[in-house]
Amino acid sequence: GMLTDGGLFTDICFDITTMESFARLIAEGYLAPLTPYPTETSIDLSLIGLKNGEYDQNKANKVIDTEEIVFGACREIIRASHDRNCGIIFAQSIDNAEHINSVLQYMGVNSTVVHSKEKKSDKRIADFKNGEYKFIVNKDMLTTGFDHPPIDIIADLQPTMSPGKHVQKWFRGTRPHPSKINCLGLDFARNVRNLGPINDPVIPRKPNGTGKAGDAPIRICDS
């Protein structure tokens, strides 16, 4: 829930998380806008159950790490990124991250992969920042604390029930940089549809379970 729900803080004294404030930060050059891009490939979340308040990771991997989803997503990523600088891809699992990276490389894309089992992850991140790779595929390594302003395309194949994690992932593309006008977003995981845009996300339920999270304040454009 909110930090004010548990007694640690009593009130919000200054709030720049509203839609109006978000638009102002973009207008004043503090943030780069995110531009959603419709995807043909879509993960069927109805096939994935919940476990401890989050999507069942084993079931999610079986649904997502398939030839159909990975090849379809990679084709769309390549098509959408022809005029983009560099991008970050969020994978469902380590196997899924390796799978995505291998397909991208098979399709001729200069990409790399990082995760907790890859000993060369730090070097690969540094090489990505130095421009040696166009895409970096990751599993839970670049969600928070990762800063690379030139990123102008994000692809998300990791569904989550956490609005906080959802916002953190997409904020990787909001850093302003002279080389970009905006950051393109490909939401294969349907997180924007379910949790809302990052400037107006669904507010989590309170820690005691009370309150209704509500529906994501979003409408998907038909075209």
Side-chain angles (χ1 to χ4, degrees), residues 92-196:
Q92 166 58 33
S93 66
I94 291 177
D95 289 341
N96 184 227
E98 292 283 358
H99 190 182
I100 293 169
N101 185 56
S102 65
V103 170
L104 286 174
Q105 292 182 345
Y106 172 77
M107 293 180 173
V109 177
N110 191 16
S111 64
T112 190
V113 60
V114 296
H115 49 71
S116 60
K117 293 184 179 180
E118 176 52 64
K119 296 180 180 179
K120 297 181 180 179
S121 288
D122 288 344
K123 184 180 186 304
R124 291 180 179 183
I125 292 172
D127 290 343
F128 171 73
K129 286 188 171 184
N130 288 330
E132 295 188 26
Y133 300 104
K134 181 164 184 175
F135 279 100
I136 186 165
V137 189
N138 84 106
K139 162 58 178 171
D140 289 341
M141 285 198 71
L142 308 178
T143 303
T144 61
F146 178 66
D147 184 30
H148 187 51
I151 288 175
D152 58 359
I153 181 169
I154 290 177
D156 193 0
L157 286 89
Q158 185 185 38
T160 181
M161 291 292 291
S162 168
K165 184 173 184 177
H166 164 56
V167 170
Q168 287 281 0
K169 286 193 291 184
W170 287 92
F171 248 98
R172 300 311 104 202
T174 62
R175 306 295 195 271
H177 191 268
S179 66
K180 72 184 189 185
I181 300 174
N182 56 37
C183 179
L184 199 64
L186 284 76
D187 182 30
F188 300 105
R190 302 167 67 92
N191 286 322
V192 176
R193 182 190 297 264
N194 295 326
L195 298 174

Side-chain angles (χ1 to χ4, degrees), residues 48-68:
I48 308 172
L50 298 179
K51 188 175 182 180
N52 298 323
E54 183 57 281
Y55 288 107
D56 187 304
Q57 298 302 296
N58 291 328
K59 289 183 179 178
N61 195 50
K62 291 179 180 179
V63 171
I64 297 169
D65 195 34
T66 65
E67 295 297 323
E68 180 183 3

Side-chain angles (χ1 to χ4, degrees), residues 7-84:
L8 180 62
F9 296 102
T10 59
D11 298 282
I12 298 173
C13 62
F14 186 69
D15 187 359
I16 57 170
T17 65
T18 64
M19 294 182 71
E20 294 78 9
S21 298
F22 194 90
R24 177 181 173 184
L25 291 171
I26 291 175
E28 294 180 354
Y30 294 105
L31 293 177
L34 287 171
T35 301
Y37 189 85
T39 62
E40 298 172 5
T41 304
S42 183
I43 297 167
D44 188 354
L45 299 181
S46 67
L47 302 176
I48 308 172
L50 298 179
K51 188 175 182 180
N52 298 323
E54 183 57 281
Y55 288 107
D56 187 304
Q57 298 302 296
N58 291 328
K59 289 183 179 178
N61 195 50
K62 291 179 180 179
V63 171
I64 297 169
D65 195 34
T66 65
E67 295 297 323
E68 180 183 3
I69 295 294
V70 172
F71 268 79
C74 286
R75 280 196 301 264
E76 292 192 57
I77 291 169
I78 293 171
R79 187 167 62 222
S81 64
H82 69 94
D83 60 349
R84 297 280 156 170

